[in-house]
Amino acid sequence: MFTKTNYFVSIFFLICFLACKDHKEQKEIKKIFSYNEMAVVTSLDPAAASNFENIWPVNQIFNGLVQMDDELNVLPSIAKKFSISSDGLVYTFDLRTDVFFHANPCFTKGEGRKVIAKDFVFSFTRLFDSKVSSATTLLNCIDRSEKTNYKGFEAINDSTFKIHLTKPYSAFLNILTMKYFSVVPHEAIDYYGESFRTNPVGTGPFTFKKWEEGTRIILQKNPNYFERDEKNERLPYLDGVNISFIKDRETAFMELLNGKFDMLSGADAFNTMEVLTRDAELKDTYQKRFYLQKTTFLKTDYIGILLDEKIDYVKNSPLRLKAIRQAINYAFDREKLVKFIRNGIGVPATCGFIPKGMRSYNPALVKGYYYDPNKVKQLLAEAGYPNGENLPELVIHAADNFKEALEFIQSQLGQNNIKVQISIEKPSVLKQAVNACEYNLFKKSWVGDYGDEENFMNLFYSKNFAPQGVNYFHYNNPKFDDLYEKALVATTDSAKIDLYQKMEMLIIDDAPVIPLYYDEVIRIVDKNISGLSINPMNLLNLKTVRK
């Protein structure tokens, strides 16, 4: 017989059951960090990590010997410590013994094995193959002579790895933080072959789960990751990462508002006029749901000038005259360019070519160009074109995404009697033509691949002339080259900083380039996310993120 007592007992147990079920379901809710990538990921092989869209997921899956913190300091990673010989030619790395590759069918029984020094010999040697990687030029300093048995990389034992250089190279440790230099297992390369790009096996905080090309990439937590936090809790905190590929920024922004994404990154990823104030702060409308991350970015946007008078159109161009190049640098307002055209994103490039965020950046010592119509007038007259009379019209070649900024510059130059025409090109056409030295005046940007000023100053080294190198200006100054070569072998930061600042002052005076602004990393992040760091390399680190 069903009594009131039975009824209340039943209700009690039902409530307990539902409460336990609800608690269990809450425990099972996965903490997945989701972001959108507007560009195309082409490979998850670190050997192909040459752009941000590839680098970001690769950084979650792989580790290298060393890593860079948010202040651009080089720290240990798989190498627990490292040393450099007194002559700067031998780098020795003592490896951790608790780092394992992800579990994968390429291994016996599918279990990931321990990383040893021979894995780095294999991984780095693989980078010499230009069919595999574009990092080959970064290895020009490796000593593969008879002295090193033609290898350059050496496994002394399972936990000691050595690199031999042909000559001292002060930026080398910074270069090793690049994702190219991640460790990969030879078993995975043998097992997957060319399809390793879609079947990555690393040691990182997240393991690869699925890639639906053009739709999404799914990563999941590596339960055996070697790094721990200050409380000795194993990283990462998240259960996984979901990467979407929505190309339309309005659609992506709506998905952010709907809670599908935890972050949008980059000024091109959302309508900055809609979301940000003129001072590049988040508008009140969005401050309840989101917070803004913003920091300096190791990226300089510039207009380059080809100086090689062996080329006929350069020989006959007024740009061959230093006074004209300097006049253009003084003829537009970088402050207004950043505030009104960039909506406050970026820093006016009034301190040379090396961007804010680098150790040598010092506006008090390195004084670049600013808006000064009187100096423009003076320099035009000095060059033989008083008030711009008889000065031929100049043509700036650029990609479409910079048209508005160039129109602003064109207008200001015109007000200062310098006539400029804008030629819009497809990015691929522009890149090829600039590399082939076909344009006298061109808009480009340079992003730092590693946290050393050498990465920016090598654009002006005379031995790096395009098309073989990145000196698109064909700038040639023996004084600059001498300072550059001294910086390559400098052993202290203070010595390097002094040399780079002297190089900058030569560049500013010779004016082979028109620096526009130093860019900024900018992200809109949902307030349910904490522990998301931001750095001048614009490297996405998710191992310390909580949701």
Side-chain angles (χ1 to χ4, degrees), residues 84-90 168 491:
I84 306 171
S85 62
S86 58
D87 60 5
L89 299 180
V90 182
T491 55

Side-chain angles (χ1 to χ4, degrees), residues 416-441:
N416 286 282
N417 301 311
I418 301 172
K419 294 179 182 178
V420 170
Q421 178 186 336
I422 301 169
S423 176
I424 298 299
E425 321 276 359
K426 290 182 178 179
S428 58
V429 173
L430 179 71
K431 181 179 179 180
Q432 185 176 346
V434 170
N435 203 43
C437 303
E438 294 175 6
Y439 294 155
N440 204 177
L441 208 56

Side-chain angles (χ1 to χ4, degrees), residues 41 79 100 117 142 167 217 295 368 379 394 415 426 435 451 465 481:
V41 172
F100 290 80
I142 302 299
K167 57 185 177 182
I217 291 174
T295 192
L379 288 162
L394 304 171
Q415 292 170 28
K426 290 182 178 179
N435 203 43
F465 273 18
D481 287 353

Side-chain angles (χ1 to χ4, degrees), residues 35-44 48-59 211 217 243 245 538 540:
Y35 75 89
N36 186 55
E37 177 55 69
M38 295 176 70
V40 177
V41 172
T42 58
S43 176
L44 295 177
S50 59
N51 50 47
F52 284 109
E53 48 268 28
N54 287 5
I55 290 170
W56 276 22
V58 163
N59 190 48
W211 183 3
I217 291 174
I243 307 166
F245 296 93
N538 193 21
L540 183 66

Side-chain angles (χ1 to χ4, degrees), residues 310-340:
K310 292 177 183 176
I311 301 171
D312 286 341
Y313 67 82
V314 176
K315 188 189 301 182
N316 300 318
S317 169
L319 291 168
R320 74 189 188 283
L321 304 173
K322 181 165 75 171
I324 292 295
R325 302 194 298 270
Q326 291 178 336
I328 296 172
N329 265 291
Y330 281 119
F332 67 97
D333 193 328
R334 291 166 174 81
E335 301 277 349
K336 287 183 177 178
L337 172 65
V338 169
K339 184 170 184 178
F340 296 111

Side-chain angles (χ1 to χ4, degrees), residues 399-460:
D400 184 58
N401 62 348
F402 206 76
K403 186 177 179 182
E404 187 182 5
L406 280 183
E407 286 174 345
F408 169 82
I409 295 170
Q410 178 189 42
S411 173
Q412 290 217 308
L413 293 183
Q415 292 170 28
N416 286 282
N417 301 311
I418 301 172
K419 294 179 182 178
V420 170
Q421 178 186 336
I422 301 169
S423 176
I424 298 299
E425 321 276 359
K426 290 182 178 179
S428 58
V429 173
L430 179 71
K431 181 179 179 180
Q432 185 176 346
V434 170
N435 203 43
C437 303
E438 294 175 6
Y439 294 155
N440 204 177
L441 208 56
F442 49 88
K443 161 66 182 71
K444 279 185 74 70
S445 61
W446 186 258
V447 180
D449 296 313
Y450 44 91
D452 194 284
E453 288 87 343
E454 180 267 344
N455 192 211
F456 285 83
M457 289 292 94
N458 70 5
L459 272 74
F460 303 95

